Amino acid sequence: METIVLGIGETLVRDDRRWSSWADWLGVPPHTLSALVGAAVAQGHDATDALRTLRPGMDVEAAYRARSAAGRGEHLDESDLYQDVRPALGELRAAGVRVVVAGNGSARAGELLRALDLPADLVVTSAEWGVRKPDPEFFARVAEAAEAPPAATLYVGDHPADDLFPAAAAGLRTAHLRRGPYGHWWADHPDVVETAEFRIDALTELVALVRPPGAGAEAAGAGAGAIGTDAEGTGGEGSGEEEAGGEETDAAGAAREGARRGALRSVR
């Protein structure tokens, strides 16, 4: 692997502050908005549909601008990063890998991320590129920024429809991160399992994938077999799926799983 490209929200950055700020702006308890976000994720919808549930017909972009004008716009600092971000990115850079951060976000988010001085060669957002995931043009830009062949470029993200599927369609190698609502809920979906070359629970697991040929390749192969296996031996949070040989006998569980599969394909 010559280049690793990582998404932003729920890959590097926790979304706690984002949703808490929206809840405060809309005048609802944070747990209410969080629950609605979870419902949107479980149905395979965009998480911002939670905002429109609270305010039908809401123009999210216009509301974002209004928040910013009122001095209640985006904020991002070290506390918003997941704890494995700096160690993982630092080790990847030390291993000679080009590290690119590229995901959906505003120009302001790009400024705030670069101000954190992450161990990355490039930090860029969709607003700065003028195109958002999952648009194929976004991943064409990723391929250019990688400065490596697609077969030597790994895109890492939590969101199947925004990260995994379009990156694979662009010919990039892919790693699905079990993190955040989308990453956990859809982790064991058959389409995710089939598409993701690697499935990881922490960014530090990426280091084993970029070691030199020989020992590194063996480590990566072993990791591919072990990555994504839950300590409890079950599927991801709320997945409704069992390990091989497990049984699910109630009709409600089967119906729920069928609905989840259909929902994911609807946004693929």
Side-chain angles (χ1 to χ4, degrees):
M1 221 79 72
E2 297 178 28
T3 300
I4 290 186
V5 186
L6 305 102
I8 298 173
E10 292 301 348
T11 297
L12 303 186
V13 176
R14 299 161 54 104
D15 277 348
D16 309 48
R17 188 195 301 270
R18 174 193 180 195
W19 295 117
S20 178
S21 296
W22 272 115
D24 183 58
W25 177 255
L26 296 174
V28 300
H31 77 272
T32 298
L33 182 53
S34 293
L36 292 172
V37 168
V41 169
Q43 295 173 49
H45 298 164
D46 191 287
T48 55
D49 284 350
L51 302 175
R52 300 183 186 93
T53 299
L54 291 168
R55 299 290 184 272
M58 176 181 181
D59 184 330
V60 177
E61 290 299 320
Y64 169 81
R65 292 192 294 271
R67 280 182 51 196
S68 298
R72 297 166 67 179
E74 288 181 88
H75 181 75
L76 185 66
D77 60 32
E78 192 72 21
S79 67
D80 295 298
L81 297 177
Y82 278 97
Q83 292 185 347
D84 59 356
V85 171
R86 286 195 182 277
L89 271 57
E91 288 188 60
L92 291 171
R93 288 282 297 278
V97 176
R98 176 172 171 79
V99 176
V100 175
V101 174
N104 284 346
S106 65
R108 173 62 175 162
E111 295 171 359
L112 292 169
L113 277 170
R114 286 188 289 273
L116 294 178
D117 194 25
L118 295 171
D121 297 281
L122 174 67
V123 176
V124 65
T125 65
S126 58
E128 294 168 327
W129 272 351
V131 61
R132 289 177 59 84
K133 298 184 294 184
D135 194 306
E137 179 58 27
F138 180 93
F139 289 92
R141 297 294 297 269
V142 165
E144 293 175 7
E147 299 183 3
T153 301
L154 181 72
Y155 194 87
V156 183
D158 65 293
H159 196 304
D162 283 358
D163 298 323
L164 180 61
F165 301 149
L172 304 174
R173 301 178 74 178
T174 57
H176 181 254
L177 175 63
R178 190 199 301 263
R179 176 173 286 175
Y182 285 101
H184 280 287
W185 183 256
W186 298 108
D188 297 310
H189 189 283
D191 289 353
V192 172
V193 174
E194 177 185 358
T195 304
E197 185 172 353
F198 304 101
R199 295 193 296 144
I200 61 175
D201 295 307
L203 297 180
T204 47
E205 295 177 38
L206 294 170
V207 179
L209 307 183
V210 299
R211 289 178 180 162
E218 293 172 7
I227 283 169
T229 300
D230 298 293
E232 296 83 1
T234 61
E237 176 184 337
S239 69
E241 295 195 8
E242 304 282 343
E243 287 291 301
E247 296 183 55
E248 180 166 7
T249 57
D250 67 310
R256 181 173 60 251
E257 178 59 20
R260 289 185 58 234
R261 294 188 182 199
L264 182 57
R265 291 197 177 97
S266 72
V267 297
R268 185 167 179 172

